[in-house]
């Protein structure tokens, strides 16, 4: 979708930089007053009002960001709220040549997907900035005759793994999605043992460092977590798998979703579950993104919501178990959402899509300090208004600072979807 960048004179670029520095309260060229009003209405009705009802404390990070980043990106002065679209188009591909530096002390897990090949290249280039890499390769499914099958070895790329290990020390933990029918798997001891055996055997044969398991959201979707007995069986299975991997000197990370309200429900993963699994799980990949959707448009991961989620899991940030906190990996999205405000097409967008929108529509970027995210508005070829939330250097840095304050790790979904200079924020 990327479009060829228009040739621009240095005088034009200089003029645009001056344009960017003026008072944001003044109208911007090409930005009708009606669009500015729509942005205000959009933020109020789709975020501010729901946020007030969440009853969480306000977080003001912008004045105290202290995360260490690559000096080159700080010197450019592009980590800011009043960013101009041309600055993104000019700088996004100019990542630091120092791809090995890493300053973030806690674990950093990066996901890679087979359908987005850029992630494979980013993993090789920035290997040393991560502690764990998780290619999304495997599914554990029910098979005929009440059996199980582990699918996905055809996705595995041994040559890529070998190159990764020659470039850095990040551990390789492929993701396994547990799609087997939970009523059968969890109730049958032999089937649970079979599932664990399949996973451990695959790790040994393929020389992985462990796995990332995703099952909780599937179990919630099946409704099994509403049953106290089934819920206990589910937790016990996760614990047994982690213990089995530890016996083989492998690591085990588990994907957990955030609660959707300030009161934990039976199907939510809560602090007691964290305590029960803490010795069997090396990291909890917390999916703090997808706060909004097409039916309820808005920010991808509002700061208040992130803090509420962490508070529910870990308690107060001033009195947190530091050893346990390090095992929680705050999810950071490298993708965004394009919402059609009045009908029409919209959906998830990745870096190249976002750059194409900036190139075509030359929109103003507006900073919503409540959510800690930038928003752009544009009209498509059918004159339908769109609101786009996509990460920027400032929005990502605020979330890294939030994670640092809590003493927790980071998980990125997924590194092929972002812009190259995002990686400079990780050291």
């Amino acid at each position: 979708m990327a479009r060829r960048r228009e040739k621009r004179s240095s005088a034009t670029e200089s003029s645009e930089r001056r344009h960017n520095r003026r008072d944001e309260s003044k109208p911007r060229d090409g930005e009708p007053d009606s669009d500015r009003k729509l942005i205000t209405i959009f933020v109020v009705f789709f975020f501010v009002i729901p946020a007030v009802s969440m009853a969480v404390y306000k977080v003001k990070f912008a004045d105290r960001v202290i995360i260490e980043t690559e000096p080159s990106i700080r010197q450019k002065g592009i980590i800011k709220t009043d960013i101009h679209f041309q600055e993104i188009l000019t700088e996004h591909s100019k990542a630091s040549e120092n791809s090995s530096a890493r300053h973030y002390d806690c674990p950093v897990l990066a996901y890679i997907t087979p359908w987005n090949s850029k992630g494979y290249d980013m993993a090789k280039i920035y290997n040393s900035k991560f502690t764990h890499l998780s290619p999304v390769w495997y599914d554990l499914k029910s098979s005929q005759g009440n059996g199980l099958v582990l699918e996905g070895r055809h996705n595995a790329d041994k040559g890529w793994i070998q190159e990764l290990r020659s470039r850095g020390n990040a551990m390789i933990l492929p993701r396994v999605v547990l799609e087997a029918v939970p009523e059968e798997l969890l109730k049958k001891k032999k089937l649970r043992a079979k599932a664990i055996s399949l996973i451990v055997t695959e790790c040994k044969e393929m020389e992985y460092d462990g796995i990332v398991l995703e099952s909780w959201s599937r179990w919630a979707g099946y409704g099994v977590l509403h049953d106290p007995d089934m819920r206990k069986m589910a937790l016990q299975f996760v614990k047994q798998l982690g213990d089995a991997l530890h016996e083989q000197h492998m690591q085990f990370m588990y994907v957990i979703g955030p609660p959707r309200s300030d009161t934990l429900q039976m199907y939510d993963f809560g602090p007691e579950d964290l305590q029960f699994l803490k010795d069997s799980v090396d990291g909890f990949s917390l999916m703090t993104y997808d706060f909004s959707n097409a039916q309820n448009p808005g920010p991808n991961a509002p700061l208040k919501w992130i803090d509420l989620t962490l508070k529910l899991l870990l308690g107060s940030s001033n009195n947190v178990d530091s050893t346990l906190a390090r095992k929680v990996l705050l999810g950071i999205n490298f993708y965004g959402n394009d919402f059609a405000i009045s009908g029409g097409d919209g959906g998830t967008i990745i870096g190249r899509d976002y750059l194409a929108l900036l190139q075509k529509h030359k929109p103003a970027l507006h900073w919503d300090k409540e959510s800690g995210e930038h928003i752009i508005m544009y009209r498509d070829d059918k004159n339908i208004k769109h609101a786009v939330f996509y990460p920027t250097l400032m929005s990502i840095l605020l979330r890294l600072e939030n994670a640092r304050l809590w003493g927790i790790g980071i998980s990125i979904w997924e590194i092929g979807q972002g812009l190259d200079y995002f990686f400079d924020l990780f050291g």
Side-chain angles (χ1 to χ4, degrees):
M1 291 181 67
R3 293 170 173 81
R4 183 180 301 172
R5 185 180 303 171
E6 298 173 356
K7 294 183 179 180
R8 316 175 65 84
S9 67
S10 58
T12 300
E13 292 180 354
S14 176
S15 174
E16 287 182 341
R17 283 193 291 271
R18 290 194 299 272
H19 171 89
N20 182 47
R21 286 194 292 269
R22 68 188 179 183
D23 187 348
E24 284 199 342
S25 66
K26 299 178 181 179
R28 299 190 182 202
D29 293 342
E31 184 187 352
D33 184 64
S34 62
D35 277 6
R36 295 197 305 278
K37 290 179 179 177
L38 181 61
I39 291 169
T40 301
I41 294 170
F42 182 88
V43 171
V44 169
F45 281 92
F46 288 107
F47 175 67
V48 175
I49 291 175
V52 170
S53 67
M54 291 174 70
V56 294
Y57 57 90
K58 186 172 184 179
V59 182
K60 294 182 179 179
F61 292 112
D63 296 330
R64 52 192 177 97
V65 175
I66 57 174
I67 282 286
E68 188 172 1
T69 61
E70 282 296 328
S72 60
I73 200 167
R74 292 199 304 273
Q75 292 164 3
K76 290 178 181 178
I78 54 177
I79 307 177
K80 56 186 179 180
T81 58
D82 60 338
I83 191 74
H84 191 269
F85 78 88
Q86 188 58 47
E87 291 177 288
I88 297 175
L89 290 176
T90 301
E91 299 292 340
H92 73 89
S93 62
K94 299 178 182 179
S96 170
E97 294 182 359
N98 184 6
S99 61
S100 61
R102 181 176 183 271
H103 302 297
Y104 197 79
D105 293 333
C106 294
V108 178
L109 166 68
Y111 289 99
I112 304 100
T113 57
W115 52 87
N116 192 355
S117 60
K118 180 182 177 181
Y120 287 91
D121 294 330
M122 295 297 99
K124 289 189 290 187
I125 295 171
Y126 299 106
N127 182 308
S128 297
K129 293 183 182 290
F130 313 118
T131 55
H132 302 79
L133 292 167
S134 183
V136 177
W137 285 344
Y138 288 93
D139 300 292
L140 184 64
K141 298 180 177 181
S142 298
S143 62
Q144 292 182 348
N146 295 324
L148 294 171
V149 58
L150 182 62
E151 296 181 352
R153 184 180 285 199
H154 65 279
N155 291 318
D157 187 336
K158 286 190 172 183
W160 176 71
I161 293 175
Q162 185 176 3
E163 187 169 356
L164 286 176
R165 287 175 170 157
S166 70
R167 289 174 176 239
N169 298 317
M171 288 181 278
I172 312 301
L173 279 68
R175 189 192 71 169
V176 177
V177 175
L178 200 57
E179 295 187 350
V181 179
E183 287 89 345
E184 297 177 359
L185 174 66
L186 297 177
K187 288 182 177 180
K188 297 179 180 179
K189 184 176 179 180
K190 288 185 178 180
L191 214 54
R192 295 198 302 271
K194 176 66 173 177
I196 293 171
S197 176
L198 284 171
I199 291 172
V200 172
T201 298
E202 185 72 4
C203 288
K204 292 168 69 175
E205 291 181 358
M206 298 297 289
E207 299 181 334
Y208 299 142
D209 298 303
I211 67 151
V212 175
L213 180 71
E214 181 172 342
S215 67
W216 196 263
S217 61
R218 263 83 177 161
W219 289 338
Y222 271 97
V224 299
L225 298 178
H226 293 78
D227 182 324
D229 292 332
M230 290 290 288
R231 198 180 190 284
K232 290 178 182 177
M233 292 179 190
L235 286 167
Q236 193 61 44
F237 171 78
V238 175
K239 180 177 176 59
Q240 289 172 349
L241 176 57
D243 292 343
L245 288 164
H246 287 169
E247 288 177 4
Q248 301 298 323
H249 307 290
M250 297 175 186
Q251 291 215 344
F252 177 49
M253 294 198 170
Y254 191 56
V255 179
I256 57 175
R260 291 292 170 171
S261 70
D262 55 3
T263 303
L264 289 171
Q265 304 299 316
M266 175 70 76
Y267 50 80
D268 286 326
F269 189 93
E272 292 181 359
D273 305 319
L274 201 67
Q275 288 289 338
F276 180 76
L277 294 176
K278 66 179 182 180
D279 294 329
S280 304
V281 177
D282 299 290
F284 296 89
S285 182
L286 179 60
M287 297 189 290
T288 37
Y289 32 73
D290 291 339
F291 174 82
S292 304
N293 52 50
Q295 290 71 43
N296 183 28
N300 294 313
L303 286 174
K304 287 183 177 181
W305 173 65
I306 289 174
D307 239 47
L308 168 64
T309 299
L310 294 174
K311 190 174 182 181
L312 287 173
L313 276 177
L314 295 170
S316 170
S317 60
N318 297 322
N319 189 30
V320 66
D321 180 342
S322 59
T323 302
L324 181 59
R326 283 183 62 88
K327 292 190 174 187
V328 175
L329 310 181
L330 181 72
I332 294 182
N333 55 290
F334 270 17
Y335 63 91
N337 284 305
D338 181 340
F339 297 113
I341 302 304
S342 54
D345 296 330
T348 301
I349 62 168
I350 61 176
R352 62 174 179 265
D353 306 324
Y354 186 67
L355 296 174
L357 288 176
L358 297 183
Q359 184 71 51
K360 180 178 181 179
H361 299 285
K362 300 175 174 53
L365 280 88
H366 298 266
W367 177 252
D368 175 24
K369 66 179 181 180
E370 292 292 328
S371 65
E373 296 186 22
H374 279 99
I375 178 177
I376 66 170
M377 306 287 288
Y378 75 94
R379 289 179 179 271
D380 65 20
D381 296 336
K382 297 179 181 178
N383 204 34
I384 294 173
K385 288 187 176 181
H386 290 246
V388 177
F389 291 86
Y390 183 83
T392 57
L393 292 173
M394 191 65 192
S395 70
I396 294 174
L397 190 63
L398 291 184
R399 283 146 183 81
L400 287 174
E401 170 66 1
N402 197 9
R404 187 201 66 79
L405 292 173
W406 279 90
I408 61 179
I410 297 293
S411 59
I412 304 169
W413 185 275
E414 51 91 0
I415 58 174
Q417 297 176 328
L419 303 178
D420 291 3
Y421 67 176
F422 286 175
F423 297 99
D424 285 346
L425 295 173
F426 294 85

